[in-house]
Amino acid sequence: MFDQIVEVIARHPYLAVATLCVLCGLGLPLPEEVILLAAGYVCAKFPTHAELPVMIAWSAAAILTGDALPYVLGRVFGVRLLRLRWLRLVVTRQRLARFDRWFRRRGDWVVFIARFIPGIRVVAFFTGGTMNMPWQRFLLLDGLGIVITVPTLTWLGYHSAAMIEQMIATVQRVERGILWGALGAAVCAALLVWVRRRRQQRQLRLTRPDEAIVHPQRPVQGADQEPPIAP
């Protein structure tokens, strides 16, 4: 998956990173951390296409935009928006109730904590909007988390390009090994099924009694006639 993300980002570095980050804010099942590492890696491999400082700024702005969208939706429409089927796949009523309790217990810092936990960000930001969390407070806490995560992960991807290449090569070898192993297992399973069926058919032929075929005999000529009476 990582090499595919790198391929997409390498074609249009800034636009691709911004699009992916905004989609992640809307519930795309793709960790932002992977995108940021890939963005830093692309800056190291293609310095003429993307520069690290510009990539960090683009990524931070896109992530903040993606986080603000569920917050705005929750603040404007509230739980009525859960009538949409596609949104219920991401924000369920059970999750919304759970985050409502967390907000009441721990306050607005749930937004800051959720920034570091993939999979719950959309629900946390949507819940913050439904609870009429002040937008200045939301931007402050979410922006604080972005300032910590985006430069760190992008920098790691930039300075770990060689290690990432080794990891990609290792993953590709493992994937090829798994593929060949799966094909070999499928062939062996097919051979075993074929041999078992042949053995069962042979046993059926050996245990089945031979059918005796009796041909009808031709009647003897005059056998049904009465013997002549002696004078």
Side-chain angles (χ1 to χ4, degrees), residues 33 113-121:
E33 292 77 8
I113 298 173
R115 170 106 300 277
F116 300 93
I117 306 176
I120 66 172
R121 295 166 183 156

Side-chain angles (χ1 to χ4, degrees), residues 62-219:
I63 290 176
L64 184 61
T65 302
D67 294 346
L69 289 176
Y71 167 80
V72 172
L73 292 175
R75 188 176 178 87
V76 174
F77 298 100
V79 294
R80 299 192 306 272
L81 203 63
L82 295 181
R83 297 174 183 175
L84 299 176
R85 182 175 300 178
W86 66 269
L87 188 62
R88 290 201 303 267
L89 297 176
V90 181
V91 184
T92 62
R93 293 188 179 274
Q94 292 78 8
R95 291 181 179 178
L96 191 63
R98 185 184 308 165
F99 272 90
D100 183 83
R101 292 193 298 269
W102 287 359
F103 268 97
R104 297 182 187 280
R105 293 177 183 176
R106 307 188 182 279
D108 299 340
W109 283 98
V110 174
V111 171
F112 177 77
I113 298 173
R115 170 106 300 277
F116 300 93
I117 306 176
I120 66 172
R121 295 166 183 156
V122 179
V123 187
F125 303 154
F126 183 82
T127 307
T130 58
M131 298 188 66
N132 293 324
M133 178 181 179
W135 63 269
Q136 301 91 336
R137 181 75 170 172
F138 173 81
L139 292 178
L140 175 62
L141 294 175
D142 189 48
L144 182 60
I146 291 174
V147 168
I148 296 174
T149 57
V150 173
T152 302
L153 293 174
T154 311
W155 183 87
L156 286 176
Y158 182 85
H159 289 280
S160 304
M163 183 179 66
I164 291 175
E165 289 180 350
Q166 294 178 358
M167 292 175 60
I168 293 175
T170 302
V171 169
Q172 290 176 348
R173 287 196 299 269
V174 171
E175 289 178 346
R176 287 195 295 268
I178 293 175
L179 177 61
W180 285 111
L183 290 176
V187 171
C188 292
L191 287 175
L192 288 175
V193 171
W194 181 79
V195 171
R196 183 174 297 177
R197 288 183 178 178
R198 293 280 296 179
R199 186 177 300 173
Q200 291 176 353
Q201 292 176 358
R202 187 178 303 172
Q203 291 177 354
L204 287 175
R205 286 197 299 267
L206 293 177
T207 56
R208 185 171 55 190
D210 296 334
E211 296 179 0
I213 302 177
V214 179
H215 297 281
Q217 298 180 357
R218 296 179 61 183

